[in-house]
């Protein structure tokens, strides 16, 4: 807007004032410079919009189940105080949009090879990549700040349990029925996370 205003002011001067040839050339050069700046700004804005769209990555979220067939993260969240639900929702959404909030890879631990963790204050979700844009949520839990490394043990057990089914899961990521079932799981998950009635200490 400022550049356009300058151009209008210069055009007004050209029309009203008696100018020398040099002054006229200088003013027209200034108009050209302002037009170039406008053009560069438009290109920059368009690029940022395109970049923004590119970063709106949509990942598909799948859910591991317990031996009894329940969705593990839902089962776990049902026993967690709902005050943490907004943070869990934020983490699940970060997997879906590709921002991966507070992401951490488990290192120096062969049993957790391939496992990833997204983190917010006191809450964690462990997940793994199935294929491009496809991720499996394995377990969700709260982690006290003073908790020692013992919290790794239950993660290992759940992750190793999932790994037994991983090959099958990778083969199913394009299966319409499997996709639909996991969409239902996701809807149930977000419905739970939006429900703030239950308090568990």
């Amino acid at each position: 807007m400022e550049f356009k205003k300058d151009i209008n002011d210069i055009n007004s001067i050209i029309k009203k004032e008696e100018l020398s040839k040099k002054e006229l050339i200088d003013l027209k050069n200034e108009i050209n410079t302002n037009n170039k700046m406008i053009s560069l700004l438009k290109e920059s804005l368009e690029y940022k919009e395109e970049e923004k769209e590119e970063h709106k990555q949509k990942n598909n979220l799948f859910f591991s189940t317990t031996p009894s067939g329940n969705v593990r993260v839902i089962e776990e969240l049902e026993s967690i105080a709902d005050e943490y639900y907004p943070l869990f929702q934020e983490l699940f959404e970060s997997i879906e949009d590709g921002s991966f909030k507070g992401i951490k890879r488990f290192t120096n631990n062969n049993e957790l090879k391939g496992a990833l963790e997204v983190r917010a204050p006191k809450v964690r979700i462990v997940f793994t990549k199935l294929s491009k844009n496809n991720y499996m949520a394995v377990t969700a839990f709260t982690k006290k700040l003073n908790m020692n490394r013992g919290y790794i043990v239950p993660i290992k057990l759940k992750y190793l349990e999932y790994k037994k089914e991983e090959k099958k899961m990778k083969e199913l990521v394009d299966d319409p029925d499997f996709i639909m079932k996991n969409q239902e799981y996701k809807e149930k998950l977000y419905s739970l996370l939006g429900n703030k009635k239950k308090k568990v200490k």
Side-chain angles (χ1 to χ4, degrees):
M1 291 300 292
E2 287 296 322
F3 287 125
K4 285 183 177 179
K5 183 177 180 299
D6 286 346
I7 290 170
N8 289 334
D9 289 343
I10 293 168
N11 281 325
S12 178
I13 291 169
I14 290 171
K15 287 177 183 178
K16 293 179 182 178
E17 302 291 332
E18 291 288 334
L19 302 169
S20 68
K21 187 176 180 180
K22 184 181 181 305
E23 288 173 330
L24 195 58
I25 290 170
D26 288 343
L27 288 172
K28 286 187 175 180
N29 285 338
E30 196 171 338
I31 289 173
N32 289 335
T33 299
N34 283 338
N35 278 325
K36 283 179 184 177
M37 292 301 295
I38 290 170
S39 179
L40 286 170
L41 281 170
K42 282 182 178 178
E43 285 178 18
S44 177
L45 287 170
E46 286 169 6
Y47 175 78
K48 284 180 179 178
E49 285 299 316
E50 288 172 9
E51 192 178 47
K52 190 176 177 182
E53 287 300 316
E54 285 176 8
H55 279 80
K56 284 184 179 178
Q57 179 179 337
K58 185 65 176 175
N59 292 323
N60 301 311
L61 193 55
F62 295 88
F63 303 89
S64 67
T65 54
T66 64
S68 59
N70 295 324
V71 178
R72 187 182 297 281
V73 292
I74 292 178
E75 190 174 85
E76 291 167 333
L77 287 165
E78 285 174 340
S79 63
I80 292 174
D82 65 13
E83 65 194 77
Y84 296 109
Y85 284 4
L87 290 172
F88 276 112
Q89 181 162 342
E90 188 178 330
L91 292 183
F92 280 114
E93 288 173 349
S94 80
I95 298 173
E96 287 195 280
D97 67 24
S99 60
F100 301 111
K101 183 177 174 63
I103 191 167
K104 169 192 168 185
R105 186 179 296 276
F106 292 93
T107 57
N108 303 319
N109 197 317
N110 288 331
E111 291 172 296
L112 288 172
K113 186 177 180 181
L116 300 162
E117 186 179 68
V118 282
R119 301 172 295 165
K122 296 187 180 180
V123 303
R124 305 286 189 269
I125 297 169
V126 174
F127 69 105
T128 189
K129 187 172 185 175
L130 291 172
S131 60
K132 184 180 180 181
N133 298 341
N134 294 311
Y135 292 86
M136 175 68 71
V138 178
T139 181
F141 57 96
T142 56
K143 180 178 181 289
K144 293 178 182 177
L145 293 177
N146 61 354
M147 187 184 287
N148 61 29
R149 296 294 291 175
Y151 88 102
I152 288 290
V153 175
I155 294 174
K156 281 184 183 178
L157 294 173
K158 292 168 185 176
Y159 187 66
L160 291 173
E161 195 172 88
Y162 155 72
K163 290 292 281 185
K164 294 175 185 176
E165 301 292 322
E166 186 176 56
K167 184 179 178 183
K168 180 182 176 183
M169 297 297 101
K170 287 184 174 182
E171 292 170 351
L172 286 171
V173 290
D174 295 319
D175 180 85
D177 291 336
F178 186 67
I179 292 170
M180 186 176 294
K181 183 184 292 184
N182 275 273
Q183 180 63 31
E184 290 172 1
Y185 291 158
K186 187 174 80 169
E187 289 172 4
K188 184 177 179 181
L189 169 70
Y190 283 129
S191 176
L192 172 66
L193 293 176
N195 179 13
K196 288 194 161 193
K197 293 180 180 178
K198 180 166 62 64
K199 293 286 181 186
V200 180
K201 300 294 183 184

